[in-house]
């Protein structure tokens, strides 16, 4: 490892490190605009200039200069200071001084660095260049005159998203960043370029002119739009969540977030259930009180015949409270796979993403069975792309979709798992870290045992992965929300009362008893229910979530529920009193303690120890995967379906309706 001296301090740096990274290891702050840790080095902005000896007697771009043994690096000389002032002056030549009206104001790198490293006044008095705005879709607002040509957005689209949608036209001062033919950016991670843009050239269109960062209350939370469990920050003002931003977690989402997880938050205030409803004898829903609703449920006499169905967005505490209530009433009818999936759940290792998201990057042969990964888990797709860039070969069983990396489709017959082509079996036999990823369509087609029987294990490596799509799925399986026959088993039991915990994707016609919906949006479940009890959305309660890796994570409450809506556990606790049973908790802290006492793994953040894989069964995979569960990426849950932004994205990006021309 080379040793370098930074401002008189000798340090040892890793092989391959740059001078900029060496300076940061020494605790020195180096200004930059184009450099980003997760993107390739461009060396465009020249803001990171330092003085290096031995070397030419001039400032050098530290981001592109390798650190070598014996280097003497100076970051605070007069030469460096004047060079940075000069670079900043050039960057601001054409930049409009519109900070008071810029949405980037208050969290702008250019603003901050110009105050610290820039001159007090500009010497440029000529006419400034103006650039016409570009249309990049319903999510990205452009003010391209602010652009400093750092090309972060271009490199993100090419290197991370794997979609060549954003590029540069012309050269020099006339260079312009735009999308291909000025069409909308269509990939599922497009809005991450907003976070990457350091100058306010790309800002959030839905959030435009809504608030300033210092006005917002910031709350740490977990994204529930898929089963990845992306770490997010909810920014709220009053009782409204105004935006969701990604938090850095290298093990889960790195620092990215899917467009759906970022922008479905406007749906939190639309189509909300904020009062109790009871369906009358004529079949019409009528407003009612909590007491009336509880008495109506009690009259149904659910003792010994009550079921709880967990929806896709539910936290573990809600599911545990419902389980306690159902068990106290003498029943064990619990199910979380509301769409009808039925696969063995005896071993949690057999239903988890065992390679982990970080681990799948190191796989060298990957077989995807029945999963449209780009839509089911966009951030897992980013990890698969990294694996391919490292040399991994990817094979896909299922209908064709557009992967962002080279992949071979093997057809849509799941029976091929029993007779894989020789080049596929050879790739797995010669692989040091082979991996299988089975999605919802593969599970529905009965491919579980066949996928489990494939060659995917090595010493210290478990390559069997189930990619869930529901944020609640792993938590529900850990809490016992799984019947041997799936939801058909629940229907066959004909429960007197069915509690739907935000269950909006299930077929409610399977049940003939009293249907009680405990949820937050007037979606499919509310339309089918006899009694509606308004509950809190994920942003309105503390909760525990377990992602598809088996990683336990905690989310905090950002705002309060609207109207008469209550947190789910309080509803279930009050219902227990109305039914004359005890559930063993009177507060959220007691509820959590009881849950952790039953399932200890839910009490500590991190990946749960799931044990060894089960032995594959003898069920043969036979049949065809006709389609994937997700038909519209932007409308997969009740919050997203209520979101105006998601509806616009669906109309324009999925269905091709042109809603808005370039500004």
């Amino acid at each position: 490892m080379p040793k370098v001296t930074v401002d008189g301090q000798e340090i040892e740096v890793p092989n391959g490190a740059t001078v900029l990274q060496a300076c940061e290891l020494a605790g020195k702050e180096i200004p930059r605009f184009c450099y980003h840790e997760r993107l390739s080095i461009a060396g465009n902005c020249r803001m990171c200039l330092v003085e290096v000896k031995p070397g030419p007697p001039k400032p050098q771009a530290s981001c592109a200069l390798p650190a070598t043994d014996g280097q003497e690096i100076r970051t605070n000389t007069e030469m460096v200071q004047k060079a940075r002032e000069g670079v900043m002056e050039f960057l601001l030549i054409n930049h409009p001084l519109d900070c008071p009206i810029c949405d980037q104001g208050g969290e702008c790198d250019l603003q901050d660095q110009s105050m610290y490293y820039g001159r007090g006044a500009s010497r440029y008095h000529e006419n400034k260049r103006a650039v016409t705005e570009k249309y990049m879709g319903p999510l990205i607002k452009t003010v391209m005159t602010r652009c400093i040509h750092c090309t972060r957005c271009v490199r993100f689209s090419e290197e991370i998203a794997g979609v060549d949608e954003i590029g540069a036209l012309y050269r020099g001062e006339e260079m312009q960043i735009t999308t291909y033919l000025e069409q909308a950016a269509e990939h599922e991670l497009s809005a991450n370029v907003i976070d990457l843009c350091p100058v306010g050239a790309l800002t959030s269109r839905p959030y435009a002119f809504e608030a300033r960062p210092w006005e917002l209350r910031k709350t740490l939370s977990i994204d529930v739009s898929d089963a990845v469990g992306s770490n997010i920050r909810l920014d709220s003002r009053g009782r409204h969540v105004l935006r969701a931003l990604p938090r850095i977690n290298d093990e889960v989402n790195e620092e990215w977030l899917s467009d759906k997880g970022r922008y479905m938050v406007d749906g939190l205030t639309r189509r909300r259930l904020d009062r109790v409803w009871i369906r009358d004898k004529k079949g019409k829903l009528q407003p009612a009180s909590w007491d009336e609703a509880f008495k109506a449920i009690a009259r149904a006499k659910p003792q010994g015949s009550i079921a709880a169905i967990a929806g896709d967005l539910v936290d573990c505490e809600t599911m545990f409270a419902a389980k306690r209530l159902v068990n106290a009433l003498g029943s064990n009818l619990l199910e979380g796979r509301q769409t009808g999936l039925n696969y063995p759940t005896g071993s949690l290792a057999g239903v988890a993403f065992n390679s982990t998201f970080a681990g799948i990057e190191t796989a060298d042969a990957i077989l995807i069975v029945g999963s449209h990964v780009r839509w089911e888990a966009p951030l897992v797709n980013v990890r698969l792309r990294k694996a391919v860039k490292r040399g991994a070969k990817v094979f896909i069983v299922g209908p064709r979709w557009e992967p962002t990396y080279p992949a071979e489709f093997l057809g849509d017959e799941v029976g091929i798992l029993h007779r894989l082509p020789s080049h596929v079996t050879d790739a797995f036999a010669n692989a040091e870290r082979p991996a299988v990823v089975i999605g919802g369509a593969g599970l529905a087609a009965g491919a579980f045992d066949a996928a489990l029987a494939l060659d995917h294990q090595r010493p210290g490596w478990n390559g069997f992965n189930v990619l869930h799509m529901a944020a609640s799925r792993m938590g529900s399986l850990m809490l016992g929300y799984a019947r041997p026959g799936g939801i058909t088993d629940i229907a066959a039991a004909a429960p007197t009362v069915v509690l739907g915990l935000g269950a909006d994707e299930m077929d409610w016609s399977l049940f003939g008893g009293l249907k009680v919906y405990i949820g937050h949006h007037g979606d499919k479940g509310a339309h089918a229910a006899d009694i509606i009890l308004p509950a809190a959305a994920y942003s309105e309660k503390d909760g525990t979530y377990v992602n598809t890796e088996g990683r336990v994570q905690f989310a905090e409450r950002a705002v309060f529920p609207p109207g008469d809506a209550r947190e789910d556990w309080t509803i279930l606790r009050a219902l227990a009193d109305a039914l004359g049973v005890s559930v063993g908790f009177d507060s959220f802290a007691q509820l959590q303690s009881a849950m952790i006492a039953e399932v200890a793994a839910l009490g500590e953040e991190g990946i749960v120890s799931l044990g060894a894989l089960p032995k594959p069964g003898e069920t043969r995979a036979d049949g065809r995967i006709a389609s994937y569960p997700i038909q519209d990426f932007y409308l997969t849950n009740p919050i997203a379906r209520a979101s105006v932004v998601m509806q616009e994205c669906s109309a324009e990006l999925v269905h091709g309706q042109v809603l808005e021309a370039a500004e």
Side-chain angles (χ1 to χ4, degrees):
M1 295 175 53
K3 292 183 178 180
V4 300
T5 303
V6 181
D7 293 340
Q9 177 186 354
E10 187 178 74
I11 62 168
E12 197 173 51
V13 299
N15 293 321
T18 62
V19 169
L20 187 150
Q21 291 169 326
C23 293
E24 289 189 332
L25 287 173
K28 304 295 180 179
E29 183 178 349
I30 304 296
R32 81 293 298 270
F33 291 114
C34 68
Y35 176 79
H36 192 277
E37 294 82 355
R38 303 185 195 276
L39 303 177
S40 62
I41 296 171
N44 293 335
C45 73
R46 319 307 284 187
M47 195 64 203
C48 64
L49 296 173
V50 296
E51 190 176 349
V52 181
K53 295 179 181 180
K58 64 177 185 179
Q60 299 187 66
S62 61
C63 70
L65 185 65
T68 58
D69 196 53
Q71 278 180 332
E72 183 181 344
I73 306 166
R74 301 290 298 275
T75 68
N76 54 6
T77 63
E78 185 179 358
M79 178 195 294
V80 171
Q81 183 180 352
K82 288 185 176 180
R84 290 174 179 173
E85 285 184 358
V87 170
M88 181 61 69
E89 193 173 7
F90 273 111
L91 291 176
L92 291 175
I93 279 178
N94 289 312
H95 192 88
L97 300 180
D98 59 352
C99 299
I101 64 164
C102 178
D103 268 322
Q104 195 88 344
E107 44 191 17
C108 175
D109 291 345
L110 183 65
Q111 202 175 51
D112 296 340
Q113 294 185 41
S114 67
M115 292 294 292
Y116 193 85
Y117 301 101
R119 293 172 56 90
S122 174
R123 296 173 291 177
Y124 186 80
H125 301 292
E126 288 75 17
N127 292 330
K128 293 195 174 196
R129 174 203 65 182
V131 182
T132 57
E133 310 309 347
K134 314 298 182 186
Y135 182 66
M136 292 191 177
L139 302 179
I140 305 171
K141 179 180 174 63
T142 65
V143 186
M144 300 312 294
T145 302
R146 300 172 184 159
C147 180
I148 63 169
H149 305 158
C150 71
T151 68
R152 280 186 178 185
C153 53
V154 177
R155 285 175 284 150
F156 173 84
S157 295
E158 293 177 350
E159 298 167 12
I160 306 298
V163 180
D164 295 333
E165 289 184 336
I166 301 177
L169 298 175
Y170 317 123
R171 302 180 67 183
E173 187 185 41
E174 301 302 320
M175 177 177 169
Q176 298 182 25
I177 304 295
T178 183
T179 53
Y180 182 69
L181 297 179
E182 293 197 25
Q183 295 177 346
E186 296 182 355
H187 63 84
E188 302 77 23
L189 302 169
S190 65
N192 286 285
V193 300
I194 298 168
D195 299 335
L196 288 172
C197 181
V199 299
L202 306 177
T203 56
S204 173
R205 184 182 290 271
Y207 178 70
F209 310 124
E210 286 289 331
R212 290 299 193 185
W214 55 84
E215 301 175 335
L216 304 176
R217 182 174 180 264
K218 299 166 178 65
T219 308
L220 306 184
S221 188
I222 301 297
D223 175 41
V224 297
S225 65
D226 54 31
V228 173
S230 300
N231 289 213
I232 61 174
R233 189 190 82 200
L234 296 178
D235 289 358
S236 59
R237 184 176 61 192
R239 301 185 69 171
H240 298 283
V241 175
L242 297 182
R243 64 177 182 177
L245 297 176
R247 291 187 285 130
I248 297 177
N249 187 329
D250 288 333
E251 300 298 316
V252 183
N253 58 304
E254 298 179 284
E255 60 185 89
W256 317 124
L257 183 59
S258 73
D259 290 349
K260 179 169 55 182
R262 185 187 296 265
Y263 283 114
M264 73 178 188
V265 293
D266 72 308
L268 290 168
T269 58
R270 302 177 183 275
R271 302 182 185 175
R272 287 301 302 267
L273 299 173
D274 57 2
R275 63 188 308 178
V276 178
W277 298 86
I278 297 179
R279 197 175 299 275
D280 62 20
K281 294 180 180 180
K282 296 181 180 179
K284 293 184 178 181
L285 289 171
Q286 301 293 341
S289 67
W290 285 98
D291 189 55
E292 289 172 334
F294 291 155
K295 287 180 178 178
I297 298 172
R299 285 196 296 271
K301 298 180 179 180
Q303 286 77 5
S305 183
I306 183 171
I309 313 295
D312 290 351
L313 313 182
V314 188
D315 57 291
C316 291
E317 284 81 1
T318 296
M319 291 187 286
F320 180 76
K323 179 182 180 180
R324 274 292 180 89
L325 176 61
V326 169
N327 292 161
L329 290 167
S331 175
N332 61 354
L333 300 176
L334 304 168
E335 183 57 67
R337 299 165 293 179
Q338 53 174 332
T339 57
L341 289 176
N342 181 20
Y343 45 83
T345 59
S347 168
L348 289 177
V351 292
F353 202 94
N354 294 287
S355 299
T356 72
F357 300 151
I360 200 69
E361 294 180 10
T362 65
D364 44 8
I366 303 170
L367 175 65
I368 301 173
V369 182
S371 178
H372 188 330
V373 186
R374 256 188 88 172
W375 278 7
E376 294 172 10
L379 295 174
V380 174
N381 194 62
V382 169
R383 303 280 192 169
L384 296 177
R385 176 172 167 79
K386 284 187 179 182
V388 171
K389 290 171 78 172
R390 288 189 169 108
K393 297 179 179 179
V394 177
F395 310 96
I396 302 175
V397 176
R400 288 187 174 272
W401 49 278
E402 293 184 19
T404 56
Y405 38 80
E408 181 184 349
F409 282 84
L410 304 178
D412 55 10
E413 297 286 342
V414 293
I416 198 173
L417 297 176
H418 299 294
R419 52 181 188 279
L420 289 171
S422 58
H423 68 284
V424 179
T425 56
D426 290 345
F428 267 68
N430 297 327
E432 295 181 2
R433 298 168 79 87
V436 174
V437 179
I438 181 168
L443 294 172
F448 179 84
D449 287 326
L452 190 59
L454 295 175
D455 178 27
H456 45 63
Q457 293 195 75
R458 298 290 185 271
W461 170 257
N462 185 346
F464 182 75
N465 303 293
V466 174
L467 183 60
H468 297 298
M469 295 174 288
S472 65
R473 187 58 44 81
M474 276 302 295
S476 69
L477 294 175
M478 292 174 68
L479 289 167
Y481 274 72
R483 298 285 297 182
I487 202 161
T488 56
D489 191 42
I490 304 287
T496 304
V497 175
V498 177
L499 299 178
L501 309 175
D504 289 290
E505 315 305 326
M506 98 173 160
D507 183 5
W508 283 84
S509 65
L510 295 171
F511 304 99
L514 183 68
K515 303 168 187 176
V516 181
Y517 178 76
I518 304 175
H520 40 78
H521 276 75
D523 205 81
K524 302 174 185 176
H527 284 274
D530 300 311
I531 298 176
I532 298 172
L533 304 178
Y538 76 100
S539 59
E540 298 158 0
K541 57 186 174 181
D542 297 328
T544 304
Y545 298 90
V546 186
N547 74 354
T548 191
E549 298 174 293
R551 184 184 302 274
V552 178
Q553 302 183 113
F554 303 125
E556 299 175 4
R557 179 177 62 196
V559 295
F560 289 93
D564 291 335
R566 301 178 182 178
E567 293 183 40
D568 308 62
W569 75 268
T570 64
I571 298 172
L572 294 161
R573 175 63 183 85
L575 181 56
D577 279 348
L579 297 176
V581 295
S582 173
V583 289
F585 56 84
D586 295 310
S587 66
F588 185 76
Q590 291 177 358
L591 166 63
Q592 272 196 325
S593 298
M595 179 181 73
I596 295 168
E598 183 169 312
V599 184
L602 294 176
E604 186 173 349
E605 286 189 305
I607 292 184
V608 177
S609 178
L610 302 174
L613 284 177
K615 294 182 179 180
E618 298 183 358
T619 304
R620 290 188 62 82
D622 187 23
R624 173 173 168 267
I625 301 175
S627 62
Y628 297 107
I630 296 179
Q631 298 298 313
D632 190 326
F633 170 71
Y634 300 99
L635 303 177
T636 56
N637 62 67
I639 301 174
R641 289 191 284 269
S643 165
V644 173
V645 178
M646 291 294 96
Q647 291 173 20
E648 291 176 355
C649 289
S650 171
E652 182 170 354
L653 305 181
V654 177
H655 301 289
Q657 302 175 21
V658 179
L659 302 180
E660 188 172 352
E663 294 180 349

